[in-house]
Structure formats: structure tokens, C-alpha cells
Amino acid sequence: MLKSHHTRHLLLLIAATMLLAATQSACRGATRKAPPVHINWNMDNQKYLTAQEPFSFFEDGRAMRPRVEGTVREAEPEYSEVELTGRVGDTYATETPMPLTRDLLVRGQERYEIFCTPCHSSVGDGNGIVRQRAMTWNVPTFHDEERRSRSVGQVYEIITEGFSTMPSYRSQVPLSDRWAIAAYVKALQLTQGAARDAVPADVLQSNGW
Ligand code: HEC
């Protein structure tokens, strides 16, 4: 008996789907020289011009275009010595070069949570997830006498330059954020090391401390 048109179409469709699936699936771990079958090209490969390439579209026959007349480079902010290095001469700054506001500390906290907690932990005891998984790597607490004695300028320098086995964060964290983080580290030290009588009585009472 002849198959109906519908059934034949359906079989064709199934065969086409199976073929497509076969061409699209790759063997795990196998290497091959030929480029993968690429059904949907989107904008993966485009014609583009490279420097020095001739291009007849423009009158001068070049692909490279001259700078638009009158364009100037955007001015970079001029930072002072202390903003850049955390010190003046040999002396570390004991205050942030920008006003120490609540906003600065909040920003510092947010950035600290992103960049520093993996090793130093949220409270700065050095017991972050990296320390927990790599026990041989000694990450110090911020709350001993030695670390507490570091001024905000020195903490800024540690973030900027790195310290012993700790890498530099200069290229990942912009200057103003490095200062914000440094200020937050000092605040963190204050919270973890505050004497009971340094806390206002009403705060003690309202928190039940
Ligand atoms: C990948 C892990 C790691 C990250 C992330 C990290 N640190 Fe460290 N940090 C260390 C280690 C390890 C040391 C101890 C280095 C040593 O003394 O050998 C250290 C030391 C320090 C010290 C103490 C240096 C001293 O002895 O006075 C400060 C302050 C510090 N880090 C601040 C930060 C801040 C702020 C951030 C975030 C911007 C940060 N660290 C991110 C690993 C890290």
C-alpha cells in the first residue's frame, strides 16, 4: 500500500533531523583538523579591513583613516604623589587623600567583598575560601598588632604594589577604589579591635551588648 503524502513528509523530516543531529554532535575528546560544521554564521566571520590595507572606497586608496582634525586626547586626571603612592617621601599617609566619608567606606566595603574576601574573609581574619582550600598559603589576620600598626597609606601601598606572596591589585582596582578599600580595612580593624568602653553607651544598650 502506498504511503500517504503526510507520512512520507513526516519520515523525511525525521531523517533530516537525525542527519542534522549527527553532523552537529562531536565525539568528546576527539581532535580533528577540519573546522566544525557551522550552521548559523551570524556575525562570526566578517570582512574587515586591516591597517595598511589598500581600499578603493576612499579617495586616498587607504583603509586607515587619518585622525579627525581637532581631536585631542582626553586629559588624564593628575594625581598627587600621595594619591599615587600612599606616601609623601618616606612617610606613609595616615589619612585618605580624599574626604573620609560614609560613601567612601561603603564603596570600600563593596570592593573589599569582591576583591579581598576570597583570601582575607569578610571579617579580615585571613580565613577566606582560598585559605580554607589551600591550607599551606598563610594569609594573616588584619587584627594583630603588626597589621593594625599599618597606616591607611601603607594598606593602600600593599593593595597597589602587592606584598610578599600577595599579588598587586593595581591593574584590577582603580586608584580611588584602592583608597576606599584601604580606608575600609582600617575601619574593619577598628570594629574588630574596639574596646567596650569605646562604644557609646546607647549603642551598647540598643544592641544588647
Ligand atoms: C589571592 C589571595 C589574596 C587576595 C585576594 C588578597 N590578599 Fe592580601 N594577602 C594575601 C597574603 C597571602 C598575604 C600575606 C603575604 C605575606 O606576608 O607573605 C596578604 C597580606 C595582606 C596584608 C597585610 C600585609 C602586612 O603584613 O602588613 C594586607 C593589609 C592585605 N593583604 C590587604 C589586602 C586587600 C585590601 C586585598 C583586596 C584588595 C587583598 N589583600 C587581597 C593574600 C591575598
Side-chain angles (χ1 to χ4, degrees):
M1 198 180 103
L2 261 178
K3 287 176 179 131
S4 76
H5 266 47
H6 280 312
T7 321
R8 208 177 304 168
H9 281 160
L10 192 66
L11 284 176
L12 263 175
L13 190 68
I14 291 170
T17 314
M18 283 168 70
L19 188 71
L20 189 70
T23 55
Q24 288 298 285
S25 68
C27 295
R28 259 165 170 264
T31 55
R32 42 183 276 143
K33 293 248 164 64
V37 181
H38 208 138
I39 302 278
N40 183 3
W41 284 89
N42 270 342
M43 293 191 285
D44 293 1
N45 286 281
Q46 301 178 61
K47 173 86 184 116
Y48 61 90
L49 299 159
T50 54
Q52 315 292 348
E53 193 177 323
F55 188 43
S56 61
F57 182 81
F58 296 111
E59 261 179 22
D60 62 6
R62 306 168 187 217
M64 281 202 296
R65 307 317 306 146
R67 200 173 292 156
V68 176
E69 213 176 312
T71 30
V72 287
R73 194 162 149 232
E74 199 179 325
E76 282 172 12
E78 279 184 24
Y79 291 115
S80 64
E81 184 195 346
V82 64
E83 281 174 299
L84 284 168
T85 64
R87 45 171 138 181
V88 182
D90 286 340
T91 318
Y92 284 113
T94 50
E95 288 174 13
T96 52
M98 60 285 285
L100 182 57
T101 58
R102 187 184 168 81
D103 280 352
L104 189 77
L105 288 175
V106 168
R107 174 74 182 172
Q109 178 178 35
E110 193 223 4
R111 297 289 108 177
Y112 175 91
E113 294 287 339
I114 295 169
F115 290 102
C116 318
T117 47
C119 295
H120 290 282
S121 95
S122 278
V123 291
D125 61 4
N127 207 20
I129 193 78
V130 173
R131 175 75 177 81
Q132 289 171 36
R133 301 275 163 90
M135 291 304 282
T136 49
W137 199 9
N138 186 32
V139 184
T141 174
F142 290 153
H143 309 298
D144 60 10
E145 216 174 307
E146 192 184 343
R147 307 309 177 312
R148 243 181 231 144
S149 73
R150 313 273 189 233
S151 68
V152 70
Q154 197 169 1
V155 176
Y156 169 84
E157 186 191 71
I158 291 166
I159 304 169
T160 306
E161 306 291 343
F163 187 93
S164 180
T165 53
M166 175 183 143
S168 154
Y169 283 82
R170 186 207 302 270
S171 58
Q172 294 176 50
V173 185
L175 181 142
S176 57
D177 283 345
R178 296 199 300 271
W179 276 109
I181 294 174
Y184 178 69
V185 168
K186 293 311 293 174
L188 201 56
Q189 288 176 328
L190 212 60
T191 63
Q192 299 289 306
R196 195 182 158 80
D197 57 8
V199 184
D202 57 328
V203 177
L204 281 179
Q205 205 167 21
S206 64
N207 286 287
W209 293 335

